[in-house]
Amino acid sequence: MKSVFSGRTIQVVRDLHPDEQWYLYQQTRQLKEALRNGGDVSRFRLNNPDLGMYLFFMEDSTRTKESFRNAGKFHGVKLNDFDAKNSSFQKKESITDTIKMLVGYSSSSSIFVVRSRIEGVCRWLEGSMAEYAAKIGVPQPAFINAGDGRHEHPTQEFLDEFSFLEQLEWKRDHIHIALVGDLFHGRTVHSKVDGLEVFREVQVDLIAPPELAMPEHYLETMKSKGFELRIFESIDEYLAQDKQAPIWYFTRLQLERMGEKLLNKAERLRRSVTFRRDHLDMVDESLRFYHPLPRHSETPTIPTFLDSLPLNRWDEQSMNGYLTRVIELAMVGGRLGSDYAGSTVRTPEYTDDFIQEATRESSAKPDFKVGIKPVQKGIVIDHIAKGKSPEEIWDQITKIRRTLDLNSMGSHGVFPSFKEGSYKGIISLPEHKMPGEKKMKMLSAISPGVTLNLIEEHEVIEKYRLSTPPRVYRLPGLRCKNEACVSNPDHHEPIFADFIRSGENQFTCHYCETPHLFSEVWRKRVTGRHLNYRYTVSHA
C-alpha cells in the first residue's frame, strides 16, 4: 500500500493536517524509544541509495542543516550538499533552472530541503517541478521548507510541538504557552499559528514590545482558530500578573532583518524580552524554557546562567530536531504512511462563479448620463466602484481602461446614483463586443461589483454582474507587495503572481502568504506628485 505522504511538499505547517502531525509525533516517539533502548529501527529507514536528497541552503544554518544531514545519513540515501555560495547563482542563474538540473540527475525520487531568504520558494517549486518531472519521466520531487525569510519554519515547529507534548506527557487537551522575543521577524513563532492546533484548547501569551509584536494577520488567524490571546510588552509586565504559562518559548532579536530605525532601539527592545536573574524569584519551579537556537553569544534572551537549571529544556528540544526530521524524510520518501488512517489535507478547488447573468428588462434602454455618449451597439460598464468617493472612482476607471487596453473611442465619467445617494462610474464603448473570459476575469478582479451590458439597437440584450473571483492569477499588473516573495520580479524567476481570496476585499499571496487588500495586488508606481498605474502584459 502506497504511503499518503510520498512526494509531498511541506512548505508550511498546515501542509500536514493536525492528524498527520500527530502521526509524525507518534512515529518520532517510537523512534526515540527504540534508539534509547537499543531496539530495531529498520522500519524507519528509507534504505534507497538511488534517492537523491539535496541540502539546498541559500542561507546560513547550523542546527537545521546538520540535523537534516545526519537524518539523511540515517536513511542511507544519496546525500548532496548544494553549495550555493560557489554555484552558478553567482552568475545570476535562477532557482528554477538549478532545481530542474538537479531533478534530472535522479533516476529515482528526490527530496529537496530548502532554506532561503526568499519566501514561498517551496510552494513555487512544488507546482513547477511536478510538471517538469512528469515531462522527463521521473517521480515528483518533494520539497521541505527549512526556513524561508520571516515567513515560516515548519520543521522547527514540528520539533517544538513534539517537545511540548513530551513535557505535557502526551496530553493534547490543553496548552498554555508564552511566546517571548522578536515575534514580528521570527518565523518559528509564525509557524505556531497552525502548529498549536494539535492541541484542543490553546492559550497564548504574547510578550514583545510594540515594535516587535506579532503581525496583525497572524493574530487574526489565531483568534479565528479559537485561541485565547493575551498581549504584554515586556517580561516585567508579564510577571506583574499571576496567570503565567508553564511553557515559555523564546526567540532572539533578529537584528539582521531590522531596519536602521529599530537597530537604534535594540538595547531597549532586548531588555524587554530578556530573562534576568532577579526574575527567578517570580516564577514557578515547574516553569520550562524553550528556544529554537542559536542564542546570541553576547546578549542572549535566555542568559547562560540558566543553562544548569531545571527550566532548561532547549537542549533536549534541539536534539529532538534530528529525530523529527528522520521521520519527516521517512514520510515524504514513502517509507512511513501506508498505515495512516486519519484525515489528510485537501487541495482547494476554486470555482469560477464570479460572472453571474443579471436580470434585465427586454425592452429597457440603457440609462445614459449627461456626458456619456449613447450606445446603439457596443458595451457599457456600469456601477464602477459604486459608493466610493469620486476620486476613487476616477482611479478605478483609469485602471479598467489601461488594464483592458480600452483606448478606442467612447466616453466615461463619474455620476450620482440617485437611488442610493452615492456615486458610481460608467464607461461607454460603442462598437465593442462582449470581452472574452480572460478579460472578464480581469475586469472582475480589478473592479468587482460592476455590471457589463451588451447593447444592440439601443437595447440591453445581455447583462452580467461581476463579483470578486476566488483566485486572481496570470493577469497583467499583478504583483505581491512583499519584496521577499519568490514571485517578486526582482528575483527573476519565471513566476506569475497568484492570489487567493481570503475574505471580503482581501487576498493572500499563494507563495509567501502575505495578506493584501484588493487594491494592493495591482502594481503601482509614483510619477511626480501623481499616482499612476503601470501594467505589464504576461501571456498565460
Side-chain angles (χ1 to χ4, degrees):
M1 183 176 177
K2 184 179 179 182
S3 167
V4 298
F5 305 108
S6 183
R8 292 264 291 272
T9 283
I10 304 174
Q11 160 69 36
V12 294
V13 168
R14 66 178 177 279
D15 282 336
L16 293 183
H17 188 278
D19 289 352
E20 296 176 319
Q21 294 171 40
W22 179 247
Y23 178 86
L24 187 161
Y25 305 141
Q26 290 297 303
Q27 295 296 319
T28 304
R29 183 182 182 184
Q30 293 172 29
L31 171 65
K32 189 171 186 177
E33 290 175 356
L35 289 171
R36 280 182 171 175
N37 299 326
D40 182 12
V41 295
S42 59
R43 78 174 187 88
F44 300 101
R45 280 200 170 96
L46 289 169
N47 278 332
N48 181 359
D50 293 325
L51 187 150
M53 177 180 166
Y54 293 89
L55 300 176
F56 199 85
F57 279 63
M58 295 175 284
E59 187 179 34
D60 291 338
S61 168
T62 301
R63 286 161 185 81
T64 302
K65 186 173 184 178
E66 292 308 311
S67 60
F68 266 116
R69 185 199 306 278
N70 283 281
K73 290 179 179 179
F74 171 89
H75 283 296
V77 298
K78 184 171 62 177
L79 187 61
N80 302 274
D81 190 348
F82 182 81
D83 185 0
K85 292 181 179 178
N86 294 301
S87 72
S88 290
F89 282 147
Q90 307 310 313
K91 303 175 185 177
K92 306 300 182 184
E93 181 175 73
S94 71
I95 297 172
T96 306
D97 281 350
T98 300
I99 297 293
K100 277 185 176 180
M101 172 191 69
L102 298 176
V103 168
Y105 289 167
S106 296
S107 57
S108 179
S109 53
S110 52
I111 300 173
F112 290 83
V113 181
V114 182
R115 170 170 285 197
S116 172
R117 292 182 183 273
I118 303 172
E119 299 174 14
V121 173
C122 288
R123 182 64 73 233
W124 158 245
L125 294 174
E126 175 189 24
S128 62
M129 292 304 133
E131 295 178 6
Y132 180 71
K135 178 181 176 181
I136 65 174
V138 299
Q140 177 176 328
F143 296 92
I144 298 177
N145 178 14
D148 59 336
R150 66 184 190 198
H151 178 213
E152 277 217 27
H153 196 340
T155 68
Q156 177 69 48
E157 179 60 14
F158 297 145
L159 77 90
D160 290 346
E161 297 301 330
F162 177 82
S163 301
F164 302 155
L165 285 162
E166 280 191 316
Q167 178 177 332
L168 297 173
E169 298 178 339
W170 298 96
K171 297 173 185 176
R172 300 175 61 191
D173 292 339
H174 175 262
I175 187 172
H176 184 192
I177 184 171
L179 305 181
V180 190
D182 188 347
L183 308 186
F184 184 82
H185 301 93
R187 57 196 174 197
T188 63
V189 292
H190 299 165
S191 293
K192 281 171 178 49
V193 173
D194 292 317
L196 288 169
E197 274 197 294
V198 75
F199 295 95
R200 296 179 181 90
E201 293 183 2
V202 180
Q203 291 176 274
V204 181
D205 297 334
L206 302 164
I207 305 174
E211 296 92 336
L212 302 178
M214 183 77 84
E216 186 65 29
H217 64 278
Y218 288 115
L219 295 178
E220 292 303 317
T221 301
M222 285 192 282
K223 291 175 185 176
S224 71
K225 294 175 183 289
F227 292 7
E228 181 183 326
L229 301 181
R230 296 190 301 163
I231 298 175
F232 302 86
E233 293 188 8
S234 68
I235 292 177
D236 288 323
E237 181 188 347
Y238 187 62
L239 292 176
Q241 53 88 47
D242 296 330
K243 192 180 177 182
Q244 298 168 17
I247 296 173
W248 289 25
Y249 186 91
F250 285 80
T251 61
R252 66 183 177 86
L253 271 66
Q254 300 196 29
L255 301 177
E256 72 277 10
R257 301 186 193 279
M258 296 182 186
E260 193 66 33
K261 188 175 180 180
L262 283 186
L263 286 175
N264 292 333
K265 303 178 181 179
E267 184 56 39
R268 175 179 65 80
L269 299 177
R270 187 182 292 113
R271 180 174 175 79
S272 66
V273 293
T274 298
F275 196 88
R276 304 192 306 270
R277 195 177 294 272
D278 59 290
H279 289 151
L280 282 172
D281 294 334
M282 298 181 237
V283 299
D284 192 272
E285 291 181 358
S286 62
L287 177 64
R288 296 294 179 264
F289 285 176
Y290 295 84
H291 193 299
L293 302 179
R295 291 179 289 180
H296 194 282
S297 62
E298 298 175 358
T299 55
T301 52
I302 300 180
T304 55
F305 73 82
L306 297 170
D307 287 5
S308 60
L309 298 182
L311 53 71
N312 175 359
R313 290 302 296 269
W314 59 86
D315 284 338
E316 185 167 0
Q317 172 195 4
S318 179
M319 291 186 285
N320 286 337
Y322 164 71
L323 300 170
T324 52
R325 285 160 180 153
V326 164
I327 299 301
E328 290 156 19
L329 292 173
M331 289 167 65
V332 301
R335 178 64 172 173
L336 296 177
S338 60
D339 60 340
Y340 177 73
S343 298
T344 59
V345 175
R346 294 184 178 181
T347 302
E349 296 181 359
Y350 304 102
T351 304
D352 287 344
D353 57 356
F354 53 91
I355 302 172
Q356 299 290 333
E357 190 166 0
T359 304
R360 60 183 175 82
E361 297 179 12
S362 59
S363 60
K365 294 184 178 181
D367 180 20
F368 298 119
K369 306 289 183 179
V370 175
I372 286 291
K373 184 177 180 179
V375 177
Q376 178 180 352
K377 179 180 181 182
I379 62 173
V380 173
I381 305 172
D382 199 355
H383 299 96
I384 299 169
K386 186 177 179 180
K388 303 290 186 180
S389 68
E391 183 180 17
E392 290 174 301
I393 297 171
W394 275 116
D395 184 55
Q396 200 82 319
I397 289 171
T398 301
K399 281 196 288 185
I400 291 171
R401 296 205 72 139
R402 290 189 177 182
T403 305
L404 272 64
D405 197 24
L406 302 177
N407 298 318
S408 56
M409 290 180 59
S411 55
H412 56 251
V414 177
F415 303 95
S417 179
F418 294 108
K419 291 181 180 179
E420 289 81 8
S422 58
Y423 293 95
K424 66 177 181 178
I426 299 176
I427 299 175
S428 172
L429 299 163
E431 302 301 325
H432 269 252
K433 296 179 180 179
M434 188 66 77
E437 182 179 352
K438 182 176 180 179
K439 288 203 171 183
M440 291 268 273
K441 190 168 189 176
M442 291 170 67
L443 178 58
S444 68
I446 297 164
S447 189
V450 302
T451 56
L452 187 58
N453 303 273
L454 179 62
I455 314 297
E456 291 280 358
E457 300 297 333
H458 292 288
E459 290 188 4
V460 179
I461 64 168
E462 292 181 34
K463 185 174 184 177
Y464 299 93
R465 186 173 299 281
L466 309 184
S467 59
T468 307
R471 184 181 180 193
V472 182
Y473 66 109
R474 288 181 176 263
L475 296 183
L478 290 176
R479 181 171 184 170
C480 178
K481 66 181 180 181
N482 177 13
E483 294 181 358
C485 180
V486 68
S487 70
N488 190 291
D490 292 343
H491 298 306
H492 306 289
E493 299 293 332
I495 305 175
F496 294 98
D498 191 342
F499 297 93
I500 309 300
R501 186 174 65 199
S502 52
E504 186 177 355
N505 194 37
Q506 190 166 37
F507 286 81
T508 300
C509 176
H510 175 61
Y511 301 108
C512 70
E513 300 190 311
T514 299
H516 295 67
L517 293 176
F518 177 73
S519 58
E520 294 174 324
V521 306
W522 305 101
R523 189 176 308 183
K524 301 177 183 179
R525 71 176 179 182
V526 176
T527 305
R529 292 186 302 170
H530 303 285
L531 184 63
N532 295 319
Y533 289 82
R534 176 184 62 189
Y535 301 100
T536 57
V537 178
S538 305
H539 298 285

